[in-house]
């Protein structure tokens, strides 16, 4: 691109140009004549609603999809990227929103997969291991190279994805929602790493829904809406409000209004729950007790990997507890089946939407009735009433604005991550639960969807329902909670009123630097 300034012609160097890209799927144009230009050494944010086409556009650049129209240039030269191997040869790497990991492989094997160091046909794992450990140390991404992917947390899996890209020495780095599963401290560290990478000459494309992150780290921002290019702005010249309005086409409330109310009776009582880690054979949940009452949102805050996941799995029945009691609506459900807990009035928005939230190769309609298909409304004489299922699914899709190419017929795997999340939220909230357990309910959602989900959660509480929220987002913790419990190393180390505690104070408890003693409570 040539820019004329007086009599001087300035050449604008773009390391990557995606010009007039159009990508179609059945029933939807995911990218509609989109142009994106990345400068060398810049951090360029890509912003848009769930399903706006951001991940699709980056998948075209990485060779996972082929565009129907448009061209891609690298350093001014047109290139053809048929697959990720072509992308890697051009120095393009991608950290995917939905992890591309082999669950039964180790961390090390996943990182080196496709980029193995060999000698005389034999793997040189020792050298690879040393390099992975060095990268982990350098970028603060501490992982156990020998752990199996299926045994580590979502946050740790994200770190493996980042290390995969660093291991390949890529110069053009695509980060697709990289902070969605990280703690506030980890996010801060990652943003600093990204700045350092840009200073060293790497060029970064950064997909995120978090406007504060864009303002903190990006040089420029390109906005997409419903597959179309809206505009590119210099981040230093814009505001969070302007970006959100470009993204969703309307003004957005960042703080959900919530009236004071007095909680009612206990809905959930957990007594002395203990769970032993499958990996380390030590207590991952250690003698935890809590209660959640009618008309109350109780939030468990903490750094990822401190027992929150296992604690929720114990309550919902995904894992067996080793000792303790779980009382729900006066009924002991400690050893109840998952379906029995659900039928009693428990809904669960899970942390890992792929593993525990959806059957990815089912249609959206079938996913919407996963916990209800056996009810009289949806079956007769053992046969599922497909028309009734589709009508129900269509209703939820409209109410929760779940965007998909073919509506209820859409295969869940083909949907954007944010719309997969909205489908789960729709299913769980529509069951009118007495207890909603929501783990990272807005992970990967845009500001408009976050606003909507937050209002739905507050509405549950205002209707006298009990809500147990688990969140790594401190803004979400402070904005939604009536009570905050901090979990550290499998124990509740503090209980707080969000009106009386600061984010910094919470951070001290989350990191283990402070702990309330029971005598002073």
């Amino acid at each position: 691109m040539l820019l004329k300034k007086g009599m001087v012609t300035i050449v604008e160097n773009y390391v990557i140009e995606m010009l007039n890209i159009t990508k179609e799927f059945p029933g939807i144009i995911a990218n509609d004549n989109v142009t994106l230009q990345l400068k060398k050494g810049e951090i360029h944010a890509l912003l848009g609603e769930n399903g706006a086409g951001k991940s699709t556009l980056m998948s075209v650049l990485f060779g996972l999809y082929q565009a129907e129209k448009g061209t891609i240039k690298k350093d001014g030269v047109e290139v053809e990227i048929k697959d990720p191997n072509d992308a890697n040869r051009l120095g393009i790497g991608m950290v995917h929103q939905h992890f591309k990991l082999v669950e039964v492989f180790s961390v090390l094997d996943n990182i080196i997969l496709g980029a193995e160091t060999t000698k005389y046909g034999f793997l040189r794992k020792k050298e690879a291991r040393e390099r992975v450990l060095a990268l982990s140390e350098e970028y603060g991404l501490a992982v156990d190279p020998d752990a199996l992917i299926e045994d580590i947390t979502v946050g740790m899996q994200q770190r493996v994805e980042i290390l995969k890209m660093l291991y390949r020495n890529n110069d053009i780095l695509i980060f697709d929602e990289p902070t969605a599963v990280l703690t506030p401290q980890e996010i801060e560290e990652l943003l600093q790493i990204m700045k350092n990478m840009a200073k060293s000459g790497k060029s970064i494309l950064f997909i995120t829904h978090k406007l504060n992150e864009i303002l903190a780290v990006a040089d420029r921002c390109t906005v997409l809406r419903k597959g179309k290019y809206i505009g590119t702005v210099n981040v230093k010249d814009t505001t969070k409000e302007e970006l959100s309005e470009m993204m969703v086409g309307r003004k957005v409330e960042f703080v959900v209004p919530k009236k004071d109310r007095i909680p009612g009776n206990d809905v959930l009582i957990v007594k002395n729950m203990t769970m032993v880690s499958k990996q380390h054979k030590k207590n991952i949940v250690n003698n935890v007790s809590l209660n959640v009452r009618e008309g109350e949102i109780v939030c468990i805050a903490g750094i990822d990997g401190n027992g929150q996941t296992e604690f929720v799995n114990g309550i919902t029945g995904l894992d067996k507890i080793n000792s303790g009691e779980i009382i729900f609506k006066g009924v002991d459900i400690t050893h109840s089946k998952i379906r029995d807990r659900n039928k009693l009035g428990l809904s669960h928005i899970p942390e890992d939407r792929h593993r525990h939230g959806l059957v990815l190769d089912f249609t959206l309609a079938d996913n919407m009735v996963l916990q209800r298909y056996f009810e009289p409304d949806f079956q007769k004489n053992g046969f599922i009433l497909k028309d009734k299922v589709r009508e129900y699914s269509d209703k939820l899709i409209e109410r929760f604005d779940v965007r998909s190419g073919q509506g209820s017929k859409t295969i869940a795997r083909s949907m954007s991550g944010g719309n997969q999340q909205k489908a789960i939220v729709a299913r769980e909230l529509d069951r009118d639960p007495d207890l909603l357990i929501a783990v990272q309910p807005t992970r990967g959602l845009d500001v408009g969807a976050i606003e909507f989900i937050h209002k739905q959660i507050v509405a549950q509480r205002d209707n006298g329902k009990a809500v147990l929220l688990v969140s790594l987002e401190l803004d979400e913790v402070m904005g939604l909670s009536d009570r905050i419990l901090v979990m550290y190393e499998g124990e509740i180390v503090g209980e707080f009123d969000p009106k009386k505690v600061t984010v910094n104070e919470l951070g001290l408890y989350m990191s283990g630097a402070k702990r309330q003693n029971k005598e002073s409570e």
Side-chain angles (χ1 to χ4, degrees):
M1 180 180 176
L2 298 179
L3 302 175
K4 292 192 175 179
K5 188 177 179 182
M7 298 297 292
V8 181
T9 300
I10 303 169
V11 180
E12 189 76 81
N13 290 320
Y14 293 116
V15 65
I16 287 290
E17 293 176 86
M18 302 186 74
L19 306 174
N20 310 113
I21 300 295
T22 295
K23 176 61 190 170
E24 299 181 23
F25 295 107
I28 191 168
I29 301 176
N31 296 137
D32 189 354
N33 195 36
V34 174
T35 289
L36 175 69
Q37 295 168 309
L38 174 68
K39 298 177 184 177
K40 183 173 175 59
E42 82 164 332
I43 300 175
H44 193 123
L46 188 56
L47 181 66
E49 293 179 282
N50 300 121
K54 307 179 300 299
S55 294
T56 299
L57 187 67
M58 291 300 95
S59 293
V60 169
L61 179 58
F62 193 58
L64 292 170
Y65 296 143
Q66 307 301 308
E68 278 75 32
K69 298 176 186 175
T71 57
I72 299 174
K73 292 183 179 181
K74 166 91 188 303
D75 296 322
V77 178
E78 188 172 334
V79 295
E80 193 172 3
I81 305 175
K82 294 180 179 178
D83 55 42
N85 289 328
D86 286 346
N88 273 308
R89 280 190 286 270
L90 291 168
I92 301 169
M94 185 169 182
V95 174
H96 300 272
Q97 179 185 7
H98 296 135
F99 310 138
K100 310 294 183 183
L101 300 173
V102 182
E103 293 204 342
V104 295
F105 279 17
S106 70
V107 166
L108 177 62
D109 288 341
N110 270 277
I111 292 170
I112 67 175
L113 187 62
E116 299 89 344
T117 303
T118 59
K119 188 174 183 180
Y120 307 125
F122 292 95
L123 275 176
R124 304 188 68 172
K125 273 198 177 182
K126 184 178 179 183
E127 292 176 18
R129 182 190 179 87
E130 288 171 358
R131 186 154 173 247
V132 166
L133 289 172
L135 286 169
S136 298
E137 180 70 25
E138 181 180 354
Y139 292 105
L141 296 164
V143 296
D144 177 1
D146 300 316
L148 296 180
I149 295 298
E150 64 186 357
D151 292 333
I152 63 176
T153 65
V154 175
M156 286 295 173
Q157 290 178 30
Q158 174 73 81
R159 296 182 186 191
V160 176
E161 283 284 15
I162 294 171
L163 281 165
K164 277 171 60 178
M165 189 170 62
L166 295 173
Y167 186 81
R168 286 158 176 75
N169 292 320
N170 296 128
D171 293 319
I172 296 148
L173 313 177
I174 304 167
F175 286 84
D176 189 357
E177 299 283 353
T179 66
V181 294
L182 301 182
T183 65
Q185 292 90 337
E186 289 169 331
I187 290 170
E188 198 172 318
E189 290 166 6
L190 178 62
L191 296 184
Q192 188 57 52
I193 289 166
M194 290 169 67
K195 287 180 182 178
N196 293 340
M197 286 175 171
K199 283 178 185 174
S200 71
K202 294 187 186 294
S203 306
I204 296 173
L205 286 161
F206 177 37
I207 302 175
T208 181
H209 294 113
K210 299 176 183 177
L211 300 174
N212 289 333
E213 292 174 7
I214 292 175
L215 296 175
V217 78
D219 300 298
R220 292 190 300 149
C221 178
T222 291
V223 181
L224 303 182
R225 191 193 312 150
K226 295 184 179 178
K228 295 182 182 293
Y229 173 81
I230 301 300
T232 299
V233 297
N234 290 316
V235 171
K236 66 182 181 188
D237 299 327
T238 191
T239 65
K240 184 165 73 169
E241 288 73 20
E242 288 171 352
L243 286 173
S244 66
E245 193 164 350
M246 284 179 73
M247 176 169 59
V248 301
R250 61 175 177 82
K251 294 189 183 297
V252 175
E253 287 184 70
F254 289 97
V255 179
V256 176
K258 184 162 70 80
K259 296 177 182 176
D260 290 337
R261 64 170 291 140
I262 298 172
N265 297 323
D266 286 330
V267 174
L268 174 71
I269 302 172
V270 178
K271 298 179 182 177
N272 309 113
M273 183 194 288
T274 295
M275 299 178 70
V276 176
S277 169
K278 296 174 183 176
Q279 289 174 264
H280 308 295
K281 304 306 177 187
K282 65 178 183 179
N283 290 351
I284 191 73
V285 177
N286 191 17
N287 198 36
V288 170
S289 298
L290 60 74
N291 68 315
V292 187
R293 296 169 290 184
E294 297 167 338
E296 179 181 45
I297 300 173
V298 174
C299 180
I300 297 177
I303 295 171
D304 193 28
N306 277 276
Q308 307 97 309
T309 298
E310 291 80 5
F311 180 68
V312 167
N313 286 353
I315 296 173
T316 57
L318 287 172
D319 287 327
K320 292 182 179 179
I321 70 174
N322 293 88
S323 63
E325 286 182 273
I326 306 164
I327 310 298
F328 176 40
K329 293 168 56 177
V331 178
D332 187 337
I333 62 167
T334 308
H335 304 292
S336 297
K337 295 177 181 177
I338 294 175
R339 178 180 287 188
D340 292 337
R341 300 179 200 218
N342 292 340
K343 287 168 70 175
L344 195 59
L346 186 154
S347 275
H348 177 209
I349 301 169
E351 175 183 15
D352 189 334
R353 54 179 167 249
H354 283 183
R355 189 181 293 184
H356 296 132
L358 297 166
V359 181
L360 291 172
D361 293 317
F362 278 16
T363 64
L364 183 51
D366 288 341
N367 273 286
M368 288 297 198
V369 294
L370 276 180
Q371 295 158 328
R372 302 186 63 182
Y373 65 88
F374 49 84
E375 295 178 2
D377 286 347
F378 302 111
Q379 64 88 23
K380 185 175 183 180
N381 300 324
F383 290 93
I384 293 176
L385 303 172
K386 291 289 186 180
D387 289 346
K388 296 290 185 182
V389 170
R390 191 180 63 253
E391 286 173 19
Y392 175 71
S393 175
D394 289 346
K395 181 188 75 173
L396 292 189
I397 287 170
E398 183 176 357
R399 179 179 154 203
F400 286 83
D401 190 27
V402 182
R403 298 181 187 177
S404 56
Q406 297 175 288
S408 290
K409 297 179 185 177
T410 305
I411 300 300
R413 187 184 297 280
S414 70
M415 295 164 58
S416 72
N419 281 293
Q420 290 175 349
Q421 185 75 2
K422 284 159 78 174
I424 295 169
V425 170
R427 180 186 70 210
E428 298 303 317
L429 291 185
D430 194 69
R431 293 176 53 233
D432 192 28
D434 294 303
L435 171 65
L436 171 66
I437 299 179
V439 187
Q440 292 288 89
T442 58
R443 180 166 71 89
L445 297 184
D446 61 67
V447 289
I450 289 171
E451 174 196 43
F452 179 76
I453 299 306
H454 282 176
K455 285 181 176 178
Q456 295 293 318
I457 290 173
V458 171
Q460 291 286 312
R461 171 250 202 196
D462 289 346
N463 288 331
K465 309 298 186 178
V467 179
L468 180 62
L469 173 70
V470 179
S471 180
L472 304 179
E473 301 288 345
L474 286 179
D475 287 345
E476 186 167 74
V477 171
M478 297 294 281
L480 290 183
S481 304
D482 296 303
R483 275 193 295 144
I484 301 170
L485 305 175
V486 176
M487 186 173 275
Y488 176 72
E489 292 189 344
E491 298 181 2
I492 302 295
V493 296
E495 180 174 330
F496 304 95
D497 182 339
K499 295 177 182 175
K500 298 177 182 177
V501 70
T502 65
V503 168
N504 289 338
E505 180 81 357
L506 279 180
L508 291 172
Y509 282 85
M510 288 165 64
S511 66
K514 290 186 74 174
R515 174 189 293 256
Q516 290 175 351
N517 64 64
K518 299 241 191 300
E519 289 77 16
S520 65
E521 290 176 15

